[in-house]
Amino acid sequence: MGMTIAEKILSAHLVDGEMVKGQEIGLRIDQTLTQDATGTMAYLQFEAMGVDQVKTERSVAYIDHNTLQSGFENADDHKFIGTCAKKHGIYFSKPGNGICHQVHLERFGAPGKTLIGSDSHTPTGGGIGMLAFGAGGLDVAVAMGGGAYYIPCPKMVRVTLLGKLQPWVAAKDIILEVLRQMTVKGGVGKIVEYAGPGVKTLSVPERATITNMGAELGATTSVFPSDEVTLEFLKAQGREDVWVPLASDEDAVYDEEYTVDLDKLQPLAAKPHMPDQVEEVSSIGKIKINQCCIGSCTNSSYYDMMKVAAILKGKKVHPDVSLTISPGSMQVFNMLARNGALADIIQSGARILECACGPCIGMGQSPESAGVSLRTFNRNFEGRSGTQDAKIYLVSPEVAAASAIAGVLTDPRELGEAPVIEMPEKFLVDDGMIIPPAEDPESVEVIKGPNIKEFPLGHNLEDAINTKVMLKTEDNITTDHILPAGSKLLPYRSNIPYYSDYCFIHVDKEFPARCKSMGGGVIIGGANYGQGSSREHAALVPLYLGIRAVLAKSFARIHKANLVNSGIIPLTFKDPADYDSISLLDEISFPNIREEVISGAEITVVSGGKTFKAELEVSDRQRQALLAGGTLNYTKQQNA
Ligand code: MIC
Ligand code: SF4
């Protein structure tokens, strides 16, 4: 039987298990990346594993999230990550060099390789035919130590792209259309592969926009073939030596199929507050806007920025609008500066920010109260911008730039002839902000400033758990709900005790205090619990607060793995109707939990005088980790 692209890469990297859909497989990981907001934990965990030098082909530590430095905290984190990288064989991308996914695509990504990153948008690498996964920091630490990365063997989805994008319609509109068709939970447990005649019409940055935002489908990852277009991109980066061709076999079998006709696609927007609330820009209408933000790992390439510069050239941003521009990398920024496009952007009245995540994760540029903000980003979850009542629309760079001038949401097709941007034959290559690891690692001292605190560890699972319900949530709870980010809180990613006071505060502000006074308990969740970011803090902080289990209708993939890694039991209702019978502060017990985790039986739950069953859908390896109180404990026990 023929194979899909993903199946080819998976089977070439298989080190444990069999390629049976749904069963756990272990993969050899060629490359890893971390960013600073999750990286400190990943490196603390790596240190705890006692490995001297990373065992991957390439590991890179990026600083791109926490770059505001409004106190010593961020700089402490940077110093820790930088010295740790130097000591352990990791390349260090300095703050200012750009957003991890953009820089990795430009300088390190390679078709056919596996990559895991402690950031959910690591699948950006699928744009050049990598199999790239977002993961929790501990999983990345394990991979750096040479260990396998485990995932449930995914189902295969094919999205066939027909035709060619029409003027003013962008790659962003393709992924928004896929989100409209598949929804934010439609990709869970699946790899999305792009195929069809439309593929060759898309440049690598366009493909990367699509695979990047595949994270919003909940997909395990997304991938494009590696073809002539990929080769041209790598040549222009001076890296053609890493190119290999990759395509699916004619008779490859897919579990699901979708089609997007590029000829018919129109400019789209995801409306507040979910990336799958997609509608045509023309049908939403000319709503008044206050802010436009262009950038993020989804849309900050040279190609995107050149389109924006061409639209802004000779125009002024509307008096009522604030437009921010964050180029994705130093390479992009430098090229714009040299070819004059930056001058066109500046002259339009745009506010130029550094090459970093910035407003995407609420690091500044929060909109005004009840403000309407158009963003070329990938997530528009409520409150993520830093303004709880702001309304965020996700759009293409074309829509954002056209609207910034008009002051209202604008279908860019109204602007007449669209700019045509050619991909450069040569990118400006300067890796001066990427610091290689030390040649004499013994001499490097790892520096931990006062912001770096210990992380919590679970303990052996007891025979029974008798506790109370600390929180009951709705469907689609994001990790931004569980643990908000933004400029006020991100600096405390290395300080779990401090961060814990903010857990779920926008859902139920009493949650942290309740857990602290009652010693923790259980969270009851709806469907797709934990979607969004890979931040393992969304498991570590609940662990710190004494949460023992999350009983939900269903889970997002990365968060579920993070719960297991930290020793919190992710249970699903056997009968979702039981969700309705449980309330906040109800007594809840799991009388045979240890025995049932060991035997693989259904989990008995007693609550409100009623007994019902829950399921624990994890691998044998994960059962062992839960019994030991988390993956790190389990690994230590095994090593002992
Ligand atoms: C995000 O976009 O939510 C983040 C911030 O990049 C996260 C990682 C984090 O929370 O640090 C992600 O996507 O994984
Ligand atoms: Fe950074 Fe935003 Fe991309 Fe997350 S989604 S990596 S915060 S740019």
Side-chain angles (χ1 to χ4, degrees):
M1 197 173 70
M3 287 204 266
T4 68
I5 299 170
E7 283 165 349
K8 289 182 189 184
I9 307 180
L10 288 175
S11 50
H13 288 82
L14 192 69
V15 289
D16 201 359
E18 281 169 50
M19 297 269 293
V20 178
K21 284 171 195 175
Q23 280 187 21
E24 189 173 72
I25 49 173
L27 302 172
R28 178 168 45 80
I29 294 302
D30 301 320
Q31 299 188 351
T32 64
L33 69 78
T34 56
Q35 42 93 334
D36 48 326
T38 53
T40 47
M41 277 302 146
Y43 294 112
L44 286 171
Q45 289 160 336
F46 179 76
E47 278 192 328
M49 287 163 32
V51 180
D52 217 24
Q53 293 289 301
V54 291
K55 302 211 164 63
T56 47
E57 292 174 13
R58 178 73 87 223
S59 287
V60 190
Y62 294 91
I63 306 291
D64 53 2
H65 281 63
N66 267 324
T67 56
L68 274 187
Q69 299 172 228
S70 46
F72 64 93
E73 293 86 357
N74 298 162
D76 274 14
D77 288 1
H78 302 174
K79 180 58 126 249
F80 166 59
I81 294 174
T83 49
C84 194
K86 205 164 191 181
K87 192 170 187 69
H88 296 294
I90 300 154
Y91 285 73
F92 178 68
S93 172
K94 288 172 67 182
N97 192 43
I99 306 174
C100 55
H101 309 304
Q102 175 66 25
V103 178
H104 208 84
L105 192 76
E106 293 168 356
R107 306 304 309 142
F108 298 110
K113 297 282 184 188
T114 51
L115 163 71
I116 68 170
S118 60
D119 192 281
S120 64
H121 290 103
T122 306
T124 311
I128 38 169
M130 291 193 102
L131 215 55
F133 309 93
L138 180 58
D139 287 329
V140 177
V142 168
M144 286 191 288
Y149 175 54
Y150 287 91
I151 52 167
C153 184
K155 290 189 179 161
M156 298 292 147
V157 177
R158 175 162 60 191
V159 178
T160 302
L161 303 177
L162 300 175
K164 189 174 181 307
L165 286 174
Q166 294 304 297
W168 296 111
V169 187
K172 182 61 156 273
D173 301 311
I174 301 179
I175 186 62
L176 288 175
E177 175 59 28
V178 176
L179 270 154
R180 172 152 69 178
Q181 293 188 30
M182 284 180 74
T183 81
V184 290
K185 35 183 191 289
V188 178
K190 302 168 194 169
I191 293 186
V192 182
E193 226 169 272
Y194 289 85
V199 165
K200 64 175 187 308
T201 70
L202 298 172
S203 65
V204 165
E206 291 177 293
R207 296 174 184 187
T209 292
I210 295 169
T211 57
N212 170 284
M213 225 178 146
E216 276 53 68
L217 299 165
T220 303
T221 189
S222 305
V223 67
F224 269 82
S226 169
D227 57 10
E228 285 298 309
V229 176
T230 323
L231 177 60
E232 286 312 309
F233 176 82
L234 286 167
K235 259 191 203 156
Q237 293 285 355
R239 302 200 295 118
E240 61 271 33
D241 52 314
V242 303
W243 183 75
V244 289
L246 262 178
S248 60
D249 293 330
E250 292 268 312
D251 54 345
V253 180
Y254 291 87
D255 301 282
E256 278 173 38
E257 301 259 1
Y258 296 84
T259 304
V260 179
D261 188 344
L262 307 189
D263 288 323
K264 297 205 181 105
L265 204 60
Q266 298 186 34
L268 299 172
K271 297 179 293 181
H273 299 285
M274 274 295 146
D276 61 0
Q277 298 303 300
V278 174
E279 193 177 327
E280 274 70 21
V281 168
S282 58
S283 90
I284 298 173
K286 293 193 175 294
I287 51 172
K288 187 144 177 56
I289 59 168
N290 311 98
Q291 185 191 50
C292 287
C293 299
I294 299 178
S296 91
C297 56
T298 320
N299 280 116
S300 61
S301 65
Y302 172 80
Y303 183 75
D304 284 329
M305 292 295 159
M306 286 302 291
K307 286 190 293 190
V308 169
I311 297 168
L312 295 177
K313 187 174 176 144
K315 310 264 172 38
K316 276 276 181 271
V317 173
H318 189 277
D320 299 340
V321 175
S322 170
L323 168 65
T324 74
I325 310 261
S326 328
S329 67
M330 197 259 256
Q331 178 181 80
V332 174
F333 208 176
N334 207 349
M335 287 176 74
L336 297 176
R338 287 175 190 230
N339 71 11
L342 183 60
D344 295 332
I345 296 175
I346 294 172
Q347 160 278 329
S348 75
R351 302 166 66 183
I352 316 294
L353 307 181
E354 72 173 321
C355 307
C357 300
C360 177
I361 191 57
M363 290 305 264
Q365 310 301 328
S366 301
E368 65 191 67
S369 289
V372 175
S373 177
L374 306 186
R375 299 177 162 212
T376 65
F377 308 166
N378 45 37
R379 293 188 171 139
N380 58 347
F381 304 147
E382 194 171 10
R384 181 175 157 103
S385 66
T387 303
Q388 204 57 30
D389 60 0
K391 295 187 183 59
I392 311 294
Y393 291 74
L394 305 175
V395 297
S396 67
E398 286 87 333
V399 171
S403 307
I405 299 165
V408 291
L409 178 66
T410 299
D411 184 331
R413 291 174 300 180
E414 291 171 18
L415 267 51
E417 209 173 313
V420 178
I421 305 299
E422 299 293 340
M423 285 291 285
E425 265 174 41
K426 281 266 165 271
F427 287 98
L428 197 157
V429 174
D430 173 357
D431 291 333
M433 288 179 83
I434 301 173
I435 312 300
E439 280 171 14
D440 53 342
E442 308 75 37
S443 71
V444 180
E445 189 201 342
V446 175
I447 299 173
K448 288 190 190 130
N451 194 43
I452 315 283
K453 297 274 189 291
E454 294 286 295
F455 58 89
L457 277 177
H459 55 77
N460 271 339
L461 181 60
E462 52 274 69
D463 294 334
I465 298 176
N466 300 303
T467 185
K468 284 194 171 169
V469 173
M470 290 292 110
L471 183 75
K472 184 173 177 182
T473 76
E474 306 284 308
D475 290 351
N476 287 327
I477 282 291
T478 71
T479 49
D480 282 283
H481 287 113
I482 302 174
L483 219 55
S487 57
K488 296 196 186 80
L489 293 178
L490 266 185
Y492 299 100
R493 282 294 180 86
S494 315
N495 189 340
I496 300 283
Y498 183 94
Y499 211 177
S500 70
D501 283 333
Y502 298 89
C503 192
F504 277 114
I505 46 160
H506 296 303
V507 176
D508 175 350
K509 64 178 186 333
E510 304 303 331
F511 175 78
R514 184 182 305 131
C515 287
K516 283 182 181 170
S517 69
M518 300 176 99
V522 169
I523 293 171
I524 305 297
N528 201 23
Y529 180 89
Q531 69 160 321
S533 136
S534 67
R535 64 190 72 146
E536 65 192 327
H537 303 75
L540 287 174
V541 169
L543 173 70
Y544 178 82
L545 290 172
I547 296 301
R548 310 302 320 283
V550 180
L551 175 55
K553 289 184 185 166
S554 68
F555 289 92
R557 178 187 70 91
I558 306 176
H559 186 60
K560 183 175 172 187
N562 286 340
L563 287 173
V564 173
N565 280 347
S566 41
I568 298 178
I569 310 168
L571 299 169
T572 44
F573 288 99
K574 185 163 185 220
D575 177 1
D578 289 325
Y579 169 91
D580 300 319
S581 68
I582 307 184
S583 307
L584 182 67
L585 292 180
D586 278 358
E587 309 251 330
I588 186 164
S589 54
F590 305 88
N592 310 315
I593 189 87
R594 188 171 174 90
E595 208 180 287
E596 288 163 344
V597 170
I598 294 174
S599 70
E602 288 174 346
I603 308 290
T604 311
V605 188
V606 184
S607 180
K610 195 180 154 196
T611 302
F612 62 89
K613 293 286 180 189
E615 282 165 346
L616 176 61
E617 290 177 330
V618 293
S619 66
D620 289 342
R621 182 189 60 90
Q622 290 179 309
R623 280 178 198 281
Q624 297 307 321
L626 286 171
L627 292 170
T631 301
L632 212 56
N633 288 345
Y634 171 55
T635 317
K636 277 193 192 149
Q637 284 177 10
Q638 271 199 318
N639 293 346

